[in-house]
Amino acid sequence: MPAAAPAQAPLSAPQKALVKLGLARDIDLALHLPLRWEDETRITRLADAREGEVVQVEGVVTDNQVAFRPRRQLVVTLDDGSDTCQLRFLHFYPSQQKALAVGTRIRARGELRGGMFGLQMVHPATRPASAELPDTLTPVYSTVAALPQAYLRKAVQSGLVRADLGDTLPPGAAQAMGLDSRWGLRESLRFLHHPPPEASAAALEDRSHPAWQRLKAEELLAQQLSQLASKRERDALRAPRLPTRAGGLQEQLLAALPFALTGAQHRVVQEIARDLDREVPMHRLLQGDVGSGKTVVAALAAAIAIEAGWQCALMAPTEILAEQHFRKLIGWLEPLLAGRARSVAWLTGSQKKKDRAPMLEQVASGHAALVVGTHAVIQEQVQFQRLALAIIDEQHRFGVAQRLALRSKMQVAGQEPHLLMMSATPIPRTLAMSYYADLDVSTIDELPPGRTPIVTKVIAASRREQVIDRIRLQLAEGRQVYWVCPLIEESEALDLADATATHQQLSEALPDALVGLLHSRMPPAEKKAVMALFTGGQMGVLVSTTVIEVGVDVPNASLMVIEHAERFGLSQLHQLRGRVGRGAAASTCVLLYAPNENGRLGDTARERLKAMAETADGFEIARRDLAIRGPGEFLGARQSGAPLLRFADLEADRDLLEAARELAPRMLDRHPELAERHVQRWLGGKWEYLKA
Ligand code: ADP
Ligand code: MG
């Protein structure tokens, strides 16, 4: 560790920048690897250099003046005996002008260009020629404006010297991971910071060099270890056992349902029931495509908890979502609860105090068997009598902080509740194995019977009239239609105007139908009224800006039009599309796109629309989304503040990932102190976040 600075000494700007970049410890600096390397080990004669090459030359300054055409610039002529070259600086300081005075012997490194006046370099890096030539490549690190490259280089170098780089891999581990044992952490880091000039540029760049392999393997191992450690920490906690009772509430619910479970639903209910019957808190993700029927699975899990005499909390990220998602579930459960003198309590942010008070009381007394709402459910004043199961819908929309709060909130008398998270965005396998390795996953991979596949059409906005004709046909058949407009925060006012205009236009074009408008700025009561008309079937067309609030289940809706589809993310589009095709009618999703000013559609937008047209499979969509966006954005809130993989690539380094996954449990069992050191080294204090 660097010597602690006296408390009063304020940090300098570069020191602050180091901290901000997460480079606080020596080991952090040592693990800050170069983006690229520059070869300053050789001097090239100007006469031998080719145009377009990046070279280092050395010579004497023979001319130095400030030119004013075409704009103010410093022009320096350098003569190396074989030829001359002009060095041009568009931005320069007086000190630079002095350092490059006529007669000085200097080194300049940059791209050599040909020009009207012979060879030149624009903004070369220069230094006095007295310095000895380095014998290794010069590292270039990613940095920020407040942190000059030279300062960072020195800091990294001293970090590298001071850091403890002792091996944390247990004997045999390197071999088990297929690593070259000659490349320990120390050797690998020294090599990558200062490779010799003869090192293969390709192996450095594409990270296939054994030194890179070593780092990637260690990084993946740290991730696996931290996930496993938090899983085991959780396994040490206690939760109430909730056995499934024959003839109990959950069987009554099954009997009351208007349909039979699909095989997949049946299987996941059993997986959940098995978890609930243990004294270890469940930590399970239920994933299933939009419309795959996750809600009824949640209801059955709730029924098991309630039957066992405990409380269950159900949370969704917004009020409308909470209501839409759980209305059915409550409809199923409430009649069964009434017979047992237990109730359902609602808790939302917009609730009036006088409505809220009796709800809080029911939660505290245990009378409420089921507590439904938004994150208001986990706020300070809410005291559960005996909470045993928390179910979170659309879990990815909850932030890390909220989930941490949830965990601390839910403890009752030293017992953790079981946790079931639900998501329609499936986690691609590589992510499930890495970032979500601490999570058990249940997957509904089958849609309820009788669904007809949705046809997706990508249509230019210029053909809007044809789309409106299509709406007319659907309405004539008694079907309903969604029309979704984007709402992007930066242009909210404009977008709202667009939606209003669309609403107006559709109302005029479809005089016989009731056309509704729903957007985020409307008062809650008005939103509710609009939703009621649409779910009730009286409203033929619903124009909506707020994507999230379209979380409705209207089987009669058979057409969805998404305007400016190019502005939506892939998983968003897929979620929206899932709102149709819920009944037996053939359904269509129309993606209207408008090219930009240049008459073009961006590459990623094109890829997204193409993916939508080509597949309706949520897993395939998620895989493509990951490929388009990369894990950083895909993970979103889960990873905010937490380190993403810096060196390893989940797809390209799959083999290493598999190996790390196999090694982690053994290492944690047999070499716990090495495991601890390894995780500390790689993740430092940041890994708490990974547990949320
Ligand atoms: P999601 O997984 O997107 O939350 P829902 O739970 O909202 O899906 O279910 C979509 C629709 O399918 C609902 O109308 C639900 O009642 C219905 N459903 C669920 N399971 C079945 C089933 N096994 N058979 C028929 N319909 C089902
Ligand atoms: Mg749902």
Side-chain angles (χ1 to χ4, degrees):
M1 291 298 266
Q8 12 347 20
L11 292 181
S12 67
Q15 281 171 326
K16 273 189 210 154
L18 279 179
V19 172
K20 225 172 158 182
L21 286 176
L23 303 176
R25 307 173 304 165
D26 289 330
I27 186 68
D28 298 328
L29 285 160
L31 292 174
H32 191 63
L33 289 179
L35 279 179
R36 55 191 171 81
W37 299 262
E38 285 172 355
D39 189 351
E40 295 177 338
T41 63
R42 281 176 302 160
I43 303 287
T44 306
R45 270 169 27 111
L46 279 169
D48 300 335
R50 268 171 302 161
E51 283 173 25
E53 242 181 338
V54 175
V55 290
Q56 178 167 247
V57 297
E58 182 175 317
V60 176
V61 175
T62 57
D63 193 29
N64 171 323
Q65 49 186 294
V66 177
F68 290 90
R69 244 164 275 186
R71 47 176 288 198
R72 187 170 180 270
Q73 51 184 288
L74 174 65
V75 184
V76 170
T77 308
L78 179 122
D79 186 339
D80 79 345
S82 75
D83 202 344
T84 63
C85 170
Q86 278 194 341
L87 315 179
R88 294 182 173 269
F89 301 87
L90 299 175
H91 316 277
F92 59 95
Y93 301 103
S95 59
Q96 225 172 343
Q97 205 176 345
K98 250 190 241 153
L100 299 173
V102 172
T104 321
R105 191 166 180 82
I106 60 154
R107 244 173 242 157
R109 188 177 181 283
E111 186 187 327
L112 206 60
R113 297 188 198 165
M116 246 197 303
F117 308 104
L119 295 170
Q120 37 172 299
M121 282 185 187
V122 180
H123 277 276
T126 58
R127 63 173 72 195
S130 56
E132 229 175 280
L133 277 177
D135 49 13
T136 57
L137 302 182
T138 308
V140 179
Y141 300 104
S142 77
T143 186
V144 291
L147 186 59
Q149 188 65 230
Y151 186 99
L152 180 56
R153 264 184 204 142
K154 275 200 196 115
V156 168
Q157 182 53 29
S158 59
L160 189 59
V161 170
R162 281 193 304 240
D164 162 23
L165 300 178
D167 219 335
T168 44
L169 295 193
Q175 213 176 358
M177 294 181 83
L179 299 173
D180 182 337
S181 59
R182 284 169 301 177
W183 292 90
L185 182 65
R186 181 178 286 109
E187 294 75 23
S188 299
L189 286 177
R190 284 191 183 152
F191 175 86
L192 290 174
H193 283 291
H194 303 289
E198 66 275 11
S200 151
L204 284 177
E205 298 289 336
D206 71 11
R207 303 190 170 181
S208 60
H209 191 279
W212 271 126
Q213 293 297 107
R214 170 74 183 209
L215 283 161
K216 293 195 282 194
E218 288 214 0
E219 178 179 46
L220 288 166
L221 182 62
Q223 189 196 40
Q224 291 296 319
L225 285 170
S226 75
Q227 298 259 319
L228 193 61
S230 55
K231 192 179 168 90
R232 290 191 177 178
E233 239 173 65
R234 194 163 28 238
D235 285 350
L237 299 172
R238 284 292 154 260
R241 243 191 91 191
L242 309 171
T244 305
R245 201 170 71 79
L249 188 60
Q250 136 273 356
E251 277 187 17
Q252 294 166 27
L253 173 58
L254 268 180
L257 286 177
F259 49 75
L261 295 189
T262 61
Q265 283 171 320
H266 202 71
R267 173 172 46 76
V268 301
V269 168
Q270 281 181 328
E271 286 166 3
I272 293 166
R274 216 174 301 137
D275 280 0
L276 294 179
D277 197 9
R278 298 175 57 211
E279 281 181 337
V280 174
M282 171 170 75
H283 191 62
R284 187 172 282 279
L285 176 72
L286 172 60
Q287 59 180 16
D289 217 338
V290 210
S292 62
K294 294 184 289 295
T295 316
V296 67
V297 174
L300 288 163
I304 293 173
I306 294 167
E307 177 66 40
W310 293 77
Q311 290 174 297
C312 171
L314 269 172
M315 274 162 286
T318 73
E319 230 164 297
I320 289 212
L321 262 189
E323 186 169 342
Q324 297 298 339
H325 285 200
F326 301 135
R327 194 183 38 202
K328 255 197 182 154
L329 180 151
I330 293 164
W332 291 325
L333 278 175
E334 211 158 25
L336 300 174
L337 288 177
R340 298 159 181 248
R342 310 272 313 263
S343 64
V344 176
W346 269 94
L347 287 175
T348 61
S350 70
Q351 224 163 17
K352 295 209 182 66
K353 236 190 177 144
K354 71 168 177 19
D355 296 329
R356 194 174 166 80
M359 293 289 176
L360 286 175
E361 207 179 289
Q362 289 182 29
V363 178
S365 71
H367 186 261
L370 195 59
V371 185
V372 182
T374 57
H375 59 269
V377 168
I378 49 166
Q379 271 158 12
E380 284 306 317
Q381 322 90 305
V382 186
Q383 289 300 332
F384 287 91
Q385 201 237 351
R386 37 200 283 120
L387 179 66
L389 172 63
I391 303 177
I392 307 182
D393 202 2
E394 308 281 345
Q395 60 94 20
H396 57 283
R397 291 195 200 273
F398 283 91
V400 172
Q402 278 171 321
R403 272 179 285 173
L404 286 175
L406 183 69
R407 282 195 63 196
S408 64
K409 170 78 211 168
M410 291 187 311
Q411 277 218 0
V412 178
Q415 285 196 313
E416 291 266 319
H418 298 279
L419 188 57
L420 178 65
M421 294 165 270
M422 305 199 284
S423 173
T425 308
I427 306 174
R429 205 180 115 71
T430 46
L431 285 191
M433 283 169 57
S434 52
Y435 291 100
Y436 294 89
D438 64 332
L439 206 60
D440 296 310
V441 179
S442 288
T443 305
I444 306 184
D445 51 7
E446 176 187 2
L447 292 180
R451 303 268 168 88
T452 36
I454 305 164
V455 175
T456 300
K457 300 219 155 115
V458 180
I459 297 180
S462 52
R463 288 166 56 199
R464 202 182 166 97
E465 284 305 321
Q466 281 165 263
V467 176
I468 295 176
D469 286 341
R470 197 186 270 267
I471 295 180
R472 236 175 243 123
L473 288 177
Q474 292 294 314
L475 293 174
E477 287 180 22
R479 303 276 169 215
Q480 290 166 279
V481 177
Y482 295 102
W483 185 297
V484 182
C485 306
L487 184 70
I488 317 282
E489 256 167 61
E490 304 92 70
S491 60
E492 190 173 330
L494 265 181
D495 285 336
L496 282 180
D498 277 354
T500 314
T502 298
H503 176 242
Q504 182 84 26
Q505 185 200 12
L506 292 178
S507 304
E508 281 164 19
L510 308 164
D512 300 331
L514 182 55
V515 181
L517 175 64
L518 186 75
H519 62 73
S520 57
R521 290 291 181 80
M522 281 163 46
E526 217 172 294
K527 284 190 204 169
K528 254 190 196 153
V530 171
M531 288 308 310
L533 282 172
F534 192 68
T535 42
Q538 299 96 314
M539 185 178 282
V541 183
L542 178 62
V543 179
S544 161
T545 58
T546 26
V547 170
I548 194 164
E549 293 175 359
V550 192
V552 277
D553 185 26
V554 180
N556 190 44
S558 57
L559 173 61
M560 164 155 303
V561 182
I562 304 178
E563 192 160 9
H564 281 298
E566 76 281 357
R567 293 205 215 156
F568 289 88
L570 188 48
S571 66
Q572 241 180 337
L573 288 172
H574 179 66
Q575 301 257 353
L576 281 172
R577 176 169 61 182
R579 298 297 144 203
V580 291
R582 301 198 145 213
S587 297
T588 308
C589 175
V590 172
L591 303 175
L592 279 180
Y593 69 92
N596 63 17
E597 310 84 67
N598 318 322
R600 292 200 55 234
L601 200 54
D603 285 344
T604 52
R606 186 190 306 274
E607 273 181 66
R608 290 195 295 256
L609 298 184
K610 188 162 167 279
M612 284 293 290
E614 284 175 359
T615 179
D617 173 1
F619 279 88
E620 177 60 17
I621 293 276
R623 209 186 53 73
R624 295 207 195 183
D625 201 20
L626 179 64
I628 295 172
R629 290 196 292 167
E633 281 187 56
F634 191 96
L635 290 163
R638 181 176 173 92
Q639 286 301 311
S640 61
L644 281 168
L645 289 173
R646 285 178 282 172
F647 308 133
D649 177 288
L650 291 180
E651 283 301 328
D653 299 315
R654 248 187 137 112
D655 292 349
L656 285 178
L657 175 59
E658 298 269 6
R661 206 161 108 99
E662 248 171 62
L663 182 61
R666 264 186 294 143
M667 182 163 168
L668 212 50
D669 289 338
R670 295 189 206 158
H671 305 279
E673 45 332 293
L674 282 180
E676 165 81 29
R677 260 177 72 204
H678 189 79
V679 171
Q680 278 302 328
R681 169 179 286 174
W682 276 90
L683 301 175
K686 300 175 199 162
W687 70 289
E688 276 296 315
Y689 281 98
L690 291 164
K691 296 192 213 169

PDB file of all heavy atoms in Angstrom, residues 397-415:
ATOM      1  N   ARG A 397     -35.381  -4.340 -13.584  1.00  0.00           N
ATOM      2  CA  ARG A 397     -35.687  -2.918 -13.516  1.00  0.00           C
ATOM      3  C   ARG A 397     -35.427  -2.318 -12.134  1.00  0.00           C
ATOM      4  O   ARG A 397     -35.509  -1.124 -11.939  1.00  0.00           O
ATOM      5  CB  ARG A 397     -37.154  -2.677 -13.876  1.00  0.00           C
ATOM      6  CG  ARG A 397     -37.460  -2.933 -15.324  1.00  0.00           C
ATOM      7  CD  ARG A 397     -38.803  -2.317 -15.631  1.00  0.00           C
ATOM      8  NE  ARG A 397     -39.400  -2.887 -16.807  1.00  0.00           N
ATOM      9  CZ  ARG A 397     -39.150  -2.436 -18.023  1.00  0.00           C
ATOM     10  NH1 ARG A 397     -38.328  -1.435 -18.203  1.00  0.00           N
ATOM     11  NH2 ARG A 397     -39.744  -2.992 -19.044  1.00  0.00           N
ATOM     12  N   PHE A 398     -35.180  -3.170 -11.182  1.00  0.00           N
ATOM     13  CA  PHE A 398     -34.829  -2.663  -9.853  1.00  0.00           C
ATOM     14  C   PHE A 398     -33.331  -2.406  -9.805  1.00  0.00           C
ATOM     15  O   PHE A 398     -32.544  -3.209 -10.298  1.00  0.00           O
ATOM     16  CB  PHE A 398     -35.201  -3.684  -8.776  1.00  0.00           C
ATOM     17  CG  PHE A 398     -36.670  -3.732  -8.468  1.00  0.00           C
ATOM     18  CD1 PHE A 398     -37.496  -4.599  -9.139  1.00  0.00           C
ATOM     19  CD2 PHE A 398     -37.214  -2.899  -7.512  1.00  0.00           C
ATOM     20  CE1 PHE A 398     -38.861  -4.648  -8.861  1.00  0.00           C
ATOM     21  CE2 PHE A 398     -38.571  -2.940  -7.228  1.00  0.00           C
ATOM     22  CZ  PHE A 398     -39.397  -3.820  -7.906  1.00  0.00           C
ATOM     23  N   GLY A 399     -32.941  -1.310  -9.191  1.00  0.00           N
ATOM     24  CA  GLY A 399     -31.523  -0.983  -9.115  1.00  0.00           C
ATOM     25  C   GLY A 399     -30.833  -1.794  -8.029  1.00  0.00           C
ATOM     26  O   GLY A 399     -31.475  -2.450  -7.218  1.00  0.00           O
ATOM     27  N   VAL A 400     -29.501  -1.714  -8.052  1.00  0.00           N
ATOM     28  CA  VAL A 400     -28.703  -2.442  -7.074  1.00  0.00           C
ATOM     29  C   VAL A 400     -29.064  -2.011  -5.657  1.00  0.00           C
ATOM     30  O   VAL A 400     -29.281  -2.829  -4.764  1.00  0.00           O
ATOM     31  CB  VAL A 400     -27.205  -2.173  -7.313  1.00  0.00           C
ATOM     32  CG1 VAL A 400     -26.385  -2.773  -6.188  1.00  0.00           C
ATOM     33  CG2 VAL A 400     -26.777  -2.750  -8.636  1.00  0.00           C
ATOM     34  N   ALA A 401     -29.151  -0.689  -5.456  1.00  0.00           N
ATOM     35  CA  ALA A 401     -29.410  -0.165  -4.116  1.00  0.00           C
ATOM     36  C   ALA A 401     -30.741  -0.688  -3.588  1.00  0.00           C
ATOM     37  O   ALA A 401     -30.851  -1.087  -2.432  1.00  0.00           O
ATOM     38  CB  ALA A 401     -29.423   1.356  -4.153  1.00  0.00           C
ATOM     39  N   GLN A 402     -31.731  -0.709  -4.480  1.00  0.00           N
ATOM     40  CA  GLN A 402     -33.043  -1.192  -4.060  1.00  0.00           C
ATOM     41  C   GLN A 402     -32.990  -2.650  -3.643  1.00  0.00           C
ATOM     42  O   GLN A 402     -33.632  -3.064  -2.691  1.00  0.00           O
ATOM     43  CB  GLN A 402     -34.059  -1.026  -5.188  1.00  0.00           C
ATOM     44  CG  GLN A 402     -34.628   0.384  -5.255  1.00  0.00           C
ATOM     45  CD  GLN A 402     -35.447   0.577  -6.506  1.00  0.00           C
ATOM     46  OE1 GLN A 402     -35.092   0.099  -7.580  1.00  0.00           O
ATOM     47  NE2 GLN A 402     -36.553   1.280  -6.373  1.00  0.00           N
ATOM     48  N   ARG A 403     -32.202  -3.428  -4.392  1.00  0.00           N
ATOM     49  CA  ARG A 403     -32.151  -4.845  -4.054  1.00  0.00           C
ATOM     50  C   ARG A 403     -31.392  -5.098  -2.750  1.00  0.00           C
ATOM     51  O   ARG A 403     -31.725  -5.988  -1.990  1.00  0.00           O
ATOM     52  CB  ARG A 403     -31.570  -5.649  -5.210  1.00  0.00           C
ATOM     53  CG  ARG A 403     -32.688  -6.055  -6.169  1.00  0.00           C
ATOM     54  CD  ARG A 403     -32.168  -6.826  -7.328  1.00  0.00           C
ATOM     55  NE  ARG A 403     -31.500  -5.926  -8.253  1.00  0.00           N
ATOM     56  CZ  ARG A 403     -30.837  -6.338  -9.303  1.00  0.00           C
ATOM     57  NH1 ARG A 403     -30.711  -7.614  -9.537  1.00  0.00           N
ATOM     58  NH2 ARG A 403     -30.286  -5.471 -10.126  1.00  0.00           N
ATOM     59  N   LEU A 404     -30.362  -4.262  -2.525  1.00  0.00           N
ATOM     60  CA  LEU A 404     -29.647  -4.399  -1.254  1.00  0.00           C
ATOM     61  C   LEU A 404     -30.574  -4.029  -0.094  1.00  0.00           C
ATOM     62  O   LEU A 404     -30.610  -4.705   0.931  1.00  0.00           O
ATOM     63  CB  LEU A 404     -28.397  -3.517  -1.242  1.00  0.00           C
ATOM     64  CG  LEU A 404     -27.217  -4.008  -2.087  1.00  0.00           C
ATOM     65  CD1 LEU A 404     -26.090  -2.976  -2.083  1.00  0.00           C
ATOM     66  CD2 LEU A 404     -26.692  -5.346  -1.596  1.00  0.00           C
ATOM     67  N   ALA A 405     -31.358  -2.954  -0.309  1.00  0.00           N
ATOM     68  CA  ALA A 405     -32.306  -2.517   0.717  1.00  0.00           C
ATOM     69  C   ALA A 405     -33.308  -3.632   0.992  1.00  0.00           C
ATOM     70  O   ALA A 405     -33.653  -3.917   2.136  1.00  0.00           O
ATOM     71  CB  ALA A 405     -33.038  -1.259   0.266  1.00  0.00           C
ATOM     72  N   LEU A 406     -33.733  -4.251  -0.073  1.00  0.00           N
ATOM     73  CA  LEU A 406     -34.706  -5.319   0.034  1.00  0.00           C
ATOM     74  C   LEU A 406     -34.182  -6.417   0.951  1.00  0.00           C
ATOM     75  O   LEU A 406     -34.863  -6.875   1.858  1.00  0.00           O
ATOM     76  CB  LEU A 406     -34.961  -5.874  -1.366  1.00  0.00           C
ATOM     77  CG  LEU A 406     -36.003  -6.971  -1.520  1.00  0.00           C
ATOM     78  CD1 LEU A 406     -37.375  -6.400  -1.268  1.00  0.00           C
ATOM     79  CD2 LEU A 406     -35.943  -7.545  -2.921  1.00  0.00           C
ATOM     80  N   ARG A 407     -32.942  -6.808   0.710  1.00  0.00           N
ATOM     81  CA  ARG A 407     -32.381  -7.901   1.498  1.00  0.00           C
ATOM     82  C   ARG A 407     -32.318  -7.551   2.983  1.00  0.00           C
ATOM     83  O   ARG A 407     -32.635  -8.364   3.835  1.00  0.00           O
ATOM     84  CB  ARG A 407     -30.977  -8.248   1.006  1.00  0.00           C
ATOM     85  CG  ARG A 407     -30.987  -9.061  -0.250  1.00  0.00           C
ATOM     86  CD  ARG A 407     -29.636  -9.678  -0.486  1.00  0.00           C
ATOM     87  NE  ARG A 407     -29.271 -10.599   0.571  1.00  0.00           N
ATOM     88  CZ  ARG A 407     -28.035 -11.036   0.756  1.00  0.00           C
ATOM     89  NH1 ARG A 407     -27.071 -10.608  -0.017  1.00  0.00           N
ATOM     90  NH2 ARG A 407     -27.769 -11.880   1.706  1.00  0.00           N
ATOM     91  N   SER A 408     -31.885  -6.318   3.267  1.00  0.00           N
ATOM     92  CA  SER A 408     -31.730  -5.971   4.676  1.00  0.00           C
ATOM     93  C   SER A 408     -33.096  -5.775   5.330  1.00  0.00           C
ATOM     94  O   SER A 408     -33.300  -6.079   6.491  1.00  0.00           O
ATOM     95  CB  SER A 408     -30.889  -4.713   4.822  1.00  0.00           C
ATOM     96  OG  SER A 408     -31.561  -3.631   4.236  1.00  0.00           O
ATOM     97  N   LYS A 409     -34.037  -5.297   4.521  1.00  0.00           N
ATOM     98  CA  LYS A 409     -35.379  -5.010   5.042  1.00  0.00           C
ATOM     99  C   LYS A 409     -36.114  -6.279   5.447  1.00  0.00           C
ATOM    100  O   LYS A 409     -36.887  -6.291   6.394  1.00  0.00           O
ATOM    101  CB  LYS A 409     -36.164  -4.289   3.941  1.00  0.00           C
ATOM    102  CG  LYS A 409     -37.633  -4.111   4.198  1.00  0.00           C
ATOM    103  CD  LYS A 409     -37.856  -2.989   5.152  1.00  0.00           C
ATOM    104  CE  LYS A 409     -39.087  -3.235   5.999  1.00  0.00           C
ATOM    105  NZ  LYS A 409     -39.168  -2.319   7.103  1.00  0.00           N
ATOM    106  N   MET A 410     -35.868  -7.320   4.677  1.00  0.00           N
ATOM    107  CA  MET A 410     -36.778  -8.433   4.775  1.00  0.00           C
ATOM    108  C   MET A 410     -36.544  -9.376   5.947  1.00  0.00           C
ATOM    109  O   MET A 410     -37.372 -10.195   6.246  1.00  0.00           O
ATOM    110  CB  MET A 410     -36.740  -9.213   3.478  1.00  0.00           C
ATOM    111  CG  MET A 410     -37.356  -8.417   2.360  1.00  0.00           C
ATOM    112  SD  MET A 410     -37.504  -9.379   0.869  1.00  0.00           S
ATOM    113  CE  MET A 410     -35.884 -10.057   0.732  1.00  0.00           C
ATOM    114  N   GLN A 411     -35.398  -9.244   6.568  1.00  0.00           N
ATOM    115  CA  GLN A 411     -35.123 -10.147   7.684  1.00  0.00           C
ATOM    116  C   GLN A 411     -36.163 -10.014   8.778  1.00  0.00           C
ATOM    117  O   GLN A 411     -36.485  -8.924   9.203  1.00  0.00           O
ATOM    118  CB  GLN A 411     -33.761  -9.801   8.278  1.00  0.00           C
ATOM    119  CG  GLN A 411     -32.654 -10.430   7.516  1.00  0.00           C
ATOM    120  CD  GLN A 411     -31.560 -10.886   8.441  1.00  0.00           C
ATOM    121  OE1 GLN A 411     -31.654 -10.730   9.650  1.00  0.00           O
ATOM    122  NE2 GLN A 411     -30.527 -11.465   7.881  1.00  0.00           N
ATOM    123  N   VAL A 412     -36.690 -11.125   9.230  1.00  0.00           N
ATOM    124  CA  VAL A 412     -37.588 -11.114  10.373  1.00  0.00           C
ATOM    125  C   VAL A 412     -37.019 -12.096  11.380  1.00  0.00           C
ATOM    126  O   VAL A 412     -36.835 -13.269  11.061  1.00  0.00           O
ATOM    127  CB  VAL A 412     -39.015 -11.526   9.962  1.00  0.00           C
ATOM    128  CG1 VAL A 412     -39.921 -11.546  11.172  1.00  0.00           C
ATOM    129  CG2 VAL A 412     -39.561 -10.569   8.914  1.00  0.00           C
ATOM    130  N   ALA A 413     -36.737 -11.627  12.564  1.00  0.00           N
ATOM    131  CA  ALA A 413     -36.220 -12.474  13.645  1.00  0.00           C
ATOM    132  C   ALA A 413     -35.065 -13.349  13.169  1.00  0.00           C
ATOM    133  O   ALA A 413     -35.067 -14.556  13.357  1.00  0.00           O
ATOM    134  CB  ALA A 413     -37.348 -13.331  14.215  1.00  0.00           C
ATOM    135  N   GLY A 414     -34.100 -12.719  12.502  1.00  0.00           N
ATOM    136  CA  GLY A 414     -32.896 -13.452  12.105  1.00  0.00           C
ATOM    137  C   GLY A 414     -33.090 -14.389  10.930  1.00  0.00           C
ATOM    138  O   GLY A 414     -32.170 -15.074  10.533  1.00  0.00           O
ATOM    139  N   GLN A 415     -34.301 -14.412  10.387  1.00  0.00           N
ATOM    140  CA  GLN A 415     -34.520 -15.291   9.242  1.00  0.00           C
ATOM    141  C   GLN A 415     -34.689 -14.493   7.967  1.00  0.00           C
ATOM    142  O   GLN A 415     -35.380 -13.495   7.923  1.00  0.00           O
ATOM    143  CB  GLN A 415     -35.753 -16.153   9.484  1.00  0.00           C
ATOM    144  CG  GLN A 415     -35.476 -17.265  10.468  1.00  0.00           C
ATOM    145  CD  GLN A 415     -36.554 -18.319  10.407  1.00  0.00           C
ATOM    146  OE1 GLN A 415     -37.725 -17.993  10.411  1.00  0.00           O
ATOM    147  NE2 GLN A 415     -36.148 -19.577  10.350  1.00  0.00           N
TER     148      GLN A 415
END
